[in-house]
Amino acid sequence: LPWQAALGCRAAQVLMQYCILANHYWFLVEAVYLYKLLIGAVFSEKNYYRLYLYLGWGTPVVFVVPWMAAKYLKENAEGEGAGLCVPHSVSLQINLLIFMRILKVILAKLRANQKGYADYKLRLAKATLTLIPLFGIHEVVFIFATDEQTTGILRYVKVFFTLFLNSFQGFLVAVLYCFANKEVKSEMKKKWQLWKLDH
């Protein structure tokens, strides 16, 4: 039935916008969590865990529900993601501020241990390149170039970078913070050796 197809399309559009916004707010959660680890915290981890869940999954609901109501009342008068640009840009701007603060802390720590690390500039560059996709900073480049405004080659460049970096963000985080981690490697070696002994 046509009305069922239209309802399915609208539900898919709402779900897509929610997922996009949730992705941005989980970037923010990662930034806040890392900043908290570097700076130190007064409160227990348990209190923060629930706050992270609300920020990552709950905040998008606060914006998507009114957007969905406005879309229903205006019968698609606006663009697909129009109205959700503000929460996107707010999360990116907060991430950018946290990113700059974290780089300042990392630089201070590397300079303090300059005798131990002769290559502190290289370490800072590696940390910067790691944090850019982790925090979604790459999207700051295109923050003012919305899909409706970009045309031609700029649109293709934006789509390529957005899709490429967003698609590999989880993989990059897994490689850098899990598989390249010394503790994880040693645990994997132990498991592998135990498996070899059993078989």
Side-chain angles (χ1 to χ4, degrees), residues 22-195:
N23 185 44
H24 282 80
Y25 277 88
W26 276 105
F27 283 152
L28 181 60
V29 168
E30 290 168 354
V32 169
Y33 180 73
L34 187 59
Y35 185 73
K36 185 182 107 19
L37 284 178
L38 284 172
I39 303 304
V42 179
F43 302 107
S44 68
E45 189 62 39
K46 190 176 180 183
N47 293 339
Y48 275 108
Y49 181 72
R50 186 165 282 181
L51 182 66
Y52 295 149
L53 288 175
Y54 289 143
L55 181 61
W57 296 119
T59 307
V61 173
V62 171
F63 296 109
V64 170
V65 169
W67 171 81
M68 182 179 62
K71 290 282 285 179
Y72 178 76
L73 293 173
K74 291 186 178 183
E75 284 297 319
N76 299 323
E78 298 177 3
E80 268 188 39
L84 295 176
C85 294
V86 172
H88 284 181
S89 62
V90 166
S91 70
L92 285 174
Q93 288 169 11
I94 294 170
N95 270 7
L96 185 61
L97 290 173
I98 294 172
F99 173 73
M100 290 189 292
R101 292 280 307 205
I102 287 175
L103 284 183
K104 190 176 175 184
V105 170
I106 291 172
L107 181 61
K109 288 185 178 187
L110 287 174
R111 279 189 177 158
N113 296 328
Q114 194 172 354
K115 292 175 184 174
Y117 304 118
D119 60 340
Y120 84 96
K121 288 182 181 176
L122 179 65
R123 287 175 175 264
L124 179 66
K126 285 166 75 176
T128 304
L129 291 174
T130 303
L131 292 174
I132 286 172
L134 182 66
F135 290 0
I137 300 301
H138 57 278
E139 294 196 18
V140 171
V141 175
F142 300 109
I143 196 168
F144 298 109
T146 62
D147 288 338
E148 292 82 14
Q149 293 172 337
T150 52
T151 56
I153 194 77
L154 179 63
R155 185 179 182 91
Y156 291 121
V157 169
K158 180 189 176 197
V159 168
F160 173 77
F161 276 105
T162 303
L163 292 177
F164 181 80
L165 291 170
N166 284 349
S167 298
F168 287 100
Q169 191 232 3
F171 175 72
L172 181 69
V173 170
V175 167
L176 293 172
Y177 295 98
C178 185
F179 302 119
N181 187 303
K182 289 178 185 175
E183 293 170 9
V184 174
K185 281 183 180 177
S186 67
E187 284 298 317
M188 288 176 77
K189 282 180 186 175
K190 285 179 191 174
K191 294 287 182 188
W192 176 250
Q193 289 169 354
L194 286 171
W195 184 83

